[in-house]
Amino acid sequence: MSSQLQSTTSAQSIPSYLHADDLGPWGNYLRQVDRVAPYLGSSSRWLETLKRPKRILIVDVPIELDNGTVAHFEGYRVQHNVSRGPGKGGVRYHQDVTLSEVMALSAWMSVKNAAVNVPYGGAKGGIRVDPRKLSRGELERVTRRYTSEIGIIIGPNTDIPAPDVNTNEQIMAWMMDTYSMNQGQTATGVVTGKPISLGGSLGRREATGRGVFVVGTEAARRVGLDIQGARIAVQGFGNVGGIAARLFEEAGAKVIAVQDHTGSLYKASGIDTNALLAHVANTGGVGGFTGADPLANDEFWTIESDILIPAALENQITEKNAGKIKTKIIVEGANGPTTTAADDILHDKGVLIIPDVVANAGGVTVSYFEWVQDFSSFFWTEDEINQRLERVMREAFNAVWQVASENKVSMRTAAFIVACKRILMAREMRGLYP
Ligand code: GLU
């Protein structure tokens, strides 16, 4: 090996922003990738590709606030990998968004899209802003300016944003409009998760929660857990946790504990999820709901349940609380909710973890259906979409289950094996150019 080649793969040559800082999500992702290396055979030659995002764009997003002053926000769009198709992944608005986080989220999109075999690479975007502090007009101006700034790298065939934490159909409509106005033509396929009236797909809003429910019931079946009467605990009661909770309740389970950024709740006989969804729609969070008892935030993790669904942000299950968790199955509705250290603790305790890259892939799967429908300008029924979604989720779950049993590894490592093989095979077939 020439000394030049050696230096490109040595740790010293890795730019500082790519290092695994031990606590951040990007570090967590790198450790997950390292666990897969021994199972990749000849593809492991290309593994370094997955440790370096293909393209990172950092943008300044200035807007005029309602009070006449100008505020600047930092925005990102990271295209982690495009070997299997265009970049794809959501846009997050949150006061704690960092580049390391968006990099990790973009990488998890590459793995997720490959794990469920939708023909995309992985990308993610974000703005460091607390959207709750913005008026509707300010939110629109932030969205439009951000879209214009990242307009140089997004497009229906290059990189397709979608909703994520604190972004929704309205924000997707503004993004689609801004991109389209700049292009001089309406390009519905530039984002997914749009309103139905603008080329959105039936079933997209519920898709991530529905996917969590589908793989959750599949996992329960494998370990002999009856959903009827099963105790469910959910962290995050938004578009993912709220919908998943409602579907589990409809299937006969009891949602006994719920937590979000406004508080925690407990009710042994089961919380009425429709009433709680209505409360969240009115007040913005689960706090203050009178249909259950309030619970201290730390206690949420100690409540005994059958299925625990972290559906909020990353790094929620760490070595600090993993030892206290008493559950049979964890279904990761959020991206990156469990650190690698916590993963090991839970694995030793015999908890089955259905990893994010499979468990929450329902959203991007129906995003794919939406994009296909936009291109063909022909729209499917909600039944067709839900059936196809269920099929994709079950097939992905079964393939990963099989690899996990064959190699005696966790479902996370198995999902990474399936996904990384697909990505790296595409990488190898395409070859290096120029
Ligand atoms: N934000 C969602 C995710 O993390 C959906 C992404 C998409 O539909 O592109 O998977």
Side-chain angles (χ1 to χ4, degrees):
M1 196 187 280
S2 76
S3 59
Q4 205 180 349
L5 186 54
Q6 265 169 7
S7 77
T8 61
T9 53
S10 72
Q12 281 92 332
S13 70
I14 295 178
S16 59
Y17 61 87
L18 293 180
H19 278 294
D21 79 73
D22 273 356
L23 299 170
W26 177 250
N28 201 30
Y29 162 74
L30 289 183
R31 282 186 290 278
Q32 294 169 347
V33 169
D34 280 335
R35 294 187 167 190
V36 186
Y39 303 94
L40 294 180
S42 60
S43 302
S44 63
R45 180 168 171 250
W46 292 97
L47 194 62
E48 187 70 18
T49 309
L50 298 177
K51 297 185 177 182
R52 294 162 186 259
K54 176 182 177 61
R55 197 174 278 134
I56 294 175
L57 182 61
I58 304 178
V59 295
D60 174 38
V61 184
I63 63 153
E64 191 170 321
L65 298 177
D66 293 347
N67 67 12
T69 60
V70 175
H72 292 257
F73 302 97
E74 192 159 300
Y76 310 96
R77 185 73 187 170
V78 179
Q79 295 171 351
H80 173 260
N81 187 278
V82 295
S83 292
R84 302 178 62 254
K88 181 89 190 83
V91 174
R92 169 173 299 199
Y93 289 181
H94 196 277
Q95 60 277 15
D96 298 329
V97 162
T98 62
L99 176 60
S100 151
E101 180 190 28
V102 179
M103 280 161 49
L105 292 165
S106 71
W108 283 320
M109 287 310 304
S110 301
V111 177
K112 186 187 308 187
N113 292 332
V116 293
N117 214 2
V118 291
Y120 291 132
K124 201 85 173 198
I127 307 178
R128 193 178 315 130
V129 60
D130 183 353
R132 290 182 192 87
K133 296 208 173 116
L134 300 181
S135 68
R136 186 181 158 90
E138 290 165 343
L139 189 65
E140 177 172 352
R141 293 198 287 281
V142 162
T143 301
R144 289 189 182 278
R145 181 63 191 234
Y146 169 73
T147 308
S148 271
E149 294 294 340
I150 66 165
I152 52 175
I153 61 166
I154 62 167
N157 292 308
T158 48
D159 179 3
I160 306 113
D164 195 75
V165 173
N166 292 334
T167 53
N168 56 23
E169 292 172 10
Q170 175 61 74
I171 288 171
M172 293 308 114
W174 289 327
M175 288 189 77
M176 188 279 259
D177 180 67
T178 305
Y179 179 85
S180 297
M181 295 308 286
N182 288 343
Q183 292 288 312
Q185 55 179 294
T186 295
T188 55
V190 68
V191 292
T192 58
K194 299 178 295 293
I196 304 292
S197 56
L198 294 177
S201 176
L202 294 168
R204 173 63 185 85
R205 198 186 299 159
E206 299 80 17
T208 314
R210 185 174 293 281
V212 165
F213 170 70
V214 170
V215 297
T217 50
E218 199 61 31
R221 197 170 62 77
R222 301 288 185 140
V223 300
L225 172 73
D226 194 353
I227 291 294
Q228 202 67 35
R231 296 160 303 171
I232 315 282
V234 189
Q235 189 202 34
F237 212 74
N239 189 41
V240 182
I243 302 293
R246 197 194 74 207
L247 293 171
F248 273 109
E249 186 190 19
E250 282 169 12
K254 289 184 298 191
V255 179
I256 59 162
V258 172
Q259 173 174 85
D260 75 1
H261 64 285
T262 63
S264 306
L265 304 169
Y266 178 75
K267 189 176 181 188
S269 60
I271 297 167
D272 178 343
T273 59
N274 277 317
L276 185 55
L277 282 165
H279 175 84
V280 172
N282 287 331
T283 67
V286 303
F289 179 66
T290 50
D293 296 326
L295 184 71
N297 280 341
D298 281 355
E299 272 178 61
F300 172 80
W301 300 107
T302 64
I303 298 286
E304 189 170 341
S305 63
D306 296 304
I307 301 180
L308 171 64
I309 306 172
L313 295 171
E314 54 275 359
N315 279 13
Q316 297 300 298
I317 305 180
T318 65
E319 70 256 75
K320 290 203 184 82
N321 58 6
K324 298 182 208 153
I325 290 175
K326 293 189 283 292
T327 195
K328 298 190 177 85
I329 302 170
I330 294 178
V331 188
E332 294 183 336
N335 291 306
T338 313
T339 65
T340 30
D343 240 348
D344 293 342
I345 296 169
L346 291 160
H347 185 78
D348 290 345
K349 286 173 59 156
V351 177
L352 172 62
I353 303 181
I354 312 305
D356 47 7
V357 292
V358 174
N360 70 35
V364 74
T365 300
V366 176
S367 275
Y368 166 55
F369 298 160
E370 176 174 334
W371 183 73
V372 168
Q373 292 172 88
D374 287 339
F375 272 120
S376 57
S377 297
F378 179 78
F379 291 87
W380 312 342
T381 66
E382 191 159 357
D383 261 1
E384 276 173 300
I385 284 155
N386 288 344
Q387 273 173 30
R388 284 178 205 245
L389 168 64
E390 238 184 275
R391 197 167 66 220
V392 170
M393 296 301 291
R394 273 190 217 290
E395 277 173 11
F397 180 96
N398 289 333
V400 171
W401 184 273
Q402 198 179 332
V403 170
S405 335
E406 279 168 13
N407 294 284
K408 301 199 172 35
V409 293
S410 69
M411 287 289 277
R412 187 181 322 277
T413 298
F416 269 69
I417 294 174
V418 170
C420 293
K421 276 189 177 164
R422 285 187 181 137
I423 300 168
L424 299 182
M425 205 174 292
R427 182 75 198 79
E428 176 146 29
M429 295 294 283
R430 287 180 67 156
L432 286 174
Y433 174 85

